Amino acid sequence: MTSTPIPTAVEARRGGGAMLAAVRIGAGQTLAGWPVLVGRCLFYTLLLATLSALWDKVAAERLPGTLAHAVPAGGFALYIGVTEWVTLSLPAAHLRLEDDIRSGGLEPYLLRPKSYLAQVFAQSMGAGLVRLSALGATAIVLLAASGRPWPEPMAFALLPVVGVLGVAVGVLLYMLAGLAAFWARRVLPFQLVIQKLMFLLGGLYAPVTLYPDVMQRVAEASPFAAHLYWPASLVIEPTLSHAAIGAGWQVLWMLVLTGACRLLWRAGLAKVLTRGGV
């Protein structure tokens, strides 16, 4: 008796359904922890009040011999608002990976027909989408209350797409750090390295276009800019061509980082199956 092969289309449909279910689980868990979500929005408010006041002062001084003249009036606070919007929406996927790998909790997942990595990514995106929505609503309220100029309408049409892609790139970067748990007891050092590169190459607090030419080119082509700079720069340059370039970098890095995660996952599993543990 031979088994009937499952058509590829059916497998793809089942895989997509499982991913959507995982997105709903991640979103539901984040909504259930609404006090934490409210606290995150309050922290976002405090952060923006502090940083926007600082950079308004820098922009107003226009110090000679510096790049202060390149700081767009009014647009810099919006830029910081978007980078923090994306950063604070990131769930801690690396900590879940660390816990599951170090505790030996992977076995139940390996017996299931669905990909463990895909489920972690989808649940993280569900949590990230809820955070993006809550923080985005907070940002709009803050902008209305501050009396600052609003970005062009095109920015509001493009930001949801490029912002979600930016969160996806960030989740994959932190998943890389989490998979280091197969070889290291703690993933904190890897998390810190990625975090600092987000500051420097991602343009967390200043657009990379203010950097020297060579460093600007390197930063723009990095996954850290795909995570933060390209979404945030839309409030300064809200054009379809600029968004298309940013989305192109984001999709490219999502493919590269997905491949890197799968390679690390297979190597880590091979190590565990050979030695019987981490």
Side-chain angles (χ1 to χ4, degrees):
M1 181 178 179
T2 58
S3 60
T4 304
I6 300 176
T8 304
V10 175
E11 287 185 344
R13 189 164 58 249
R14 290 178 178 175
M19 292 280 283
L20 286 176
V23 169
R24 287 197 295 270
I25 290 173
Q29 290 173 338
T30 305
L31 286 171
W34 64 266
V36 178
L37 190 61
V38 171
R40 190 176 292 271
C41 292
L42 291 176
F43 178 69
Y44 181 57
T45 301
L46 178 63
L47 203 61
L48 287 191
T50 305
L51 293 177
S52 60
L54 169 67
W55 286 109
D56 280 348
K57 184 69 174 175
V58 172
E61 290 295 331
R62 303 281 171 179
L63 299 174
T66 71
L67 290 173
H69 65 278
V71 177
F76 208 68
L78 297 176
Y79 175 91
I80 298 297
V82 176
T83 59
E84 295 296 342
W85 173 57
V86 175
T87 299
L88 292 177
S89 296
L90 273 186
H94 57 296
L95 296 182
R96 175 179 172 180
L97 286 167
E98 182 189 62
D99 289 343
D100 286 346
I101 293 171
R102 292 188 65 238
S103 68
L106 289 178
E107 290 182 7
Y109 297 105
L110 299 181
L111 296 175
R112 297 174 184 175
K114 308 306 178 189
S115 165
Y116 170 78
L117 279 186
Q119 293 294 296
V120 171
F121 175 77
Q123 285 191 27
S124 299
M125 286 305 298
L129 290 174
V130 171
R131 292 178 179 180
L132 276 174
S133 302
L135 292 171
T138 304
I140 290 175
V141 171
L142 290 176
L143 185 58
S146 69
R148 293 175 180 275
W150 289 71
E152 294 183 21
M154 180 63 78
F156 288 103
L158 298 173
L159 268 176
V161 177
V162 186
V164 170
L165 291 176
V167 169
V169 173
V171 168
L172 290 169
L173 283 170
Y174 276 122
M175 285 180 66
L176 277 180
L179 289 170
F182 279 117
W183 296 271
R185 290 192 58 80
R186 295 291 182 189
V187 301
L188 179 61
F190 303 96
Q191 173 199 341
L192 291 177
V193 169
I194 289 175
Q195 194 178 63
K196 299 306 174 269
L197 288 172
M198 287 178 179
F199 275 84
L200 181 64
L201 299 180
L204 182 62
Y205 288 149
V208 298
T209 45
L210 297 180
Y211 294 175
D213 286 343
V214 173
M215 192 170 179
Q216 176 188 337
R217 304 302 176 207
V218 171
E220 285 180 342
S222 73
F224 309 101
H227 171 47
L228 291 175
Y229 166 71
W230 288 107
S233 61
L234 278 177
V235 294
I236 298 174
E237 190 177 348
T239 62
L240 280 174
S241 59
H242 190 75
I245 294 172
W249 279 114
Q250 289 174 319
V251 171
L252 172 65
W253 277 113
M254 285 176 64
L255 295 173
V256 172
L257 293 172
T258 299
C261 284
R262 294 184 66 178
L263 287 176
L264 281 181
W265 172 251
R266 290 176 181 174
L269 277 186
K271 172 178 177 291
V272 170
L273 294 175
T274 302
R275 300 185 182 181
V278 176

